[in-house]
């Protein structure tokens, strides 16, 4: 969901609640904030971390006094940062052990735990992934050349 869609959704929801249910705009924002918080909690439990983060963020934005939404958002950010570091490190270990497929898998998992493309790990992981894709064919080519050289030496 893009920022434009979120803003449209919020504007129509707040207008609907304030017009149809008799809520003030502030009451409508609080009600939506609580619903988003509940949704984000369920999304966290389901492993939909990016959606959960966004919903915690919007819930706190709509109701700045809703501290629990901010606390959960922050805890989720720290959890995902730890996951990112773990997957990145495991990818490095696999790569160092000449297991490029396993390294690629860990780094792809790490990309799914990054919330923003501006995160420093995003660039590191993309660079590492491009290295894996280059590494496998180069290794295969080197092995083929060695086999050809060995075959020539035996003749």
């Amino acid at each position: 969901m893009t920022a434009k869609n979120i803003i449209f959704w919020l504007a129509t929801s707040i207008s609907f609640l304030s017009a149809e249910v008799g809520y003030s705009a502030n009451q409508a924002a609080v009600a939506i904030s609580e619903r988003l918080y509940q949704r984000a909690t369920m999304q966290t439990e389901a492993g939909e971390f990016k959606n959960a983060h966004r919903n915690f963020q919007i819930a706190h934005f709509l109701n700045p006094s809703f501290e629990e939404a901010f606390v959960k958002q922050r805890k989720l950010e720290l959890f995902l940062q730890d996951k990112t570091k773990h997957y990145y490190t495991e990818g490095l270990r696999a790569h160092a052990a000449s297991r490029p497929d396993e390294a690629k898998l860990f780094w792809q998992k790490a990309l799914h735990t990054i919330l923003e493309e501006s995160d420093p790990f995003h660039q590191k992981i993309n660079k590492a992934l491009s290295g894996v894709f280059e590494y496998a064919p180069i290794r295969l080519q080197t092995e083929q050349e060695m086999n050809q050289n060995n075959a020539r030496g035996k003749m």
Side-chain angles (χ1 to χ4, degrees):
M1 186 179 269
T2 65
K4 185 178 180 181
N5 292 342
I6 292 170
I7 291 169
F8 176 75
W9 179 82
L10 290 172
T12 55
S13 298
I14 290 171
S15 298
F16 171 77
L17 284 174
S18 56
E20 297 295 321
V21 184
Y23 281 10
S24 69
N26 189 45
Q27 290 172 318
V30 169
I32 292 171
S33 176
E34 290 170 359
R35 287 182 188 165
L36 286 171
Y37 176 82
Q38 291 170 355
R39 180 183 292 166
T41 301
M42 289 188 302
Q43 289 169 326
T44 301
E45 292 169 3
E48 299 172 18
F49 300 122
K50 290 182 181 183
N51 291 333
H53 181 266
R54 183 185 66 235
N55 285 327
F56 282 133
Q57 204 171 28
I58 296 169
H60 184 253
F61 173 79
L62 288 174
N63 183 5
S65 63
F66 195 1
E67 280 298 312
E68 187 62 25
F70 178 74
V71 169
K72 288 254 185 151
Q73 172 192 336
R74 189 67 188 129
K75 284 182 179 179
L76 183 58
E77 288 170 358
L78 294 172
F79 170 77
L80 291 175
Q81 287 172 0
D82 287 344
K83 280 291 199 193
T84 301
K85 289 176 188 174
H86 169 75
Y87 289 140
Y88 177 70
T89 303
E90 289 301 313
L92 289 176
R93 286 187 181 133
H95 184 67
S98 298
R99 298 187 315 262
D101 292 336
E102 188 178 335
K104 177 183 166 186
L105 182 65
F106 277 117
W107 289 330
Q108 287 172 337
K109 285 182 180 181
L111 281 178
H112 289 291
T113 61
I114 295 174
L115 295 170
E116 310 243 347
E117 287 188 18
S118 61
D119 186 307
F121 272 102
H122 191 269
Q123 185 177 4
K124 284 182 180 181
I125 293 166
N126 278 330
K127 186 175 181 181
L129 279 169
S130 67
V132 168
F133 294 130
E134 293 170 9
Y135 174 74
I138 290 171
R139 181 175 172 198
L140 180 61
Q141 180 183 3
T142 304
E143 289 174 1
Q144 289 172 345
E145 288 173 359
M146 288 173 55
N147 290 339
Q148 287 174 352
N149 290 338
N150 287 341
R152 286 183 197 145
K154 290 181 181 177
M155 292 183 159

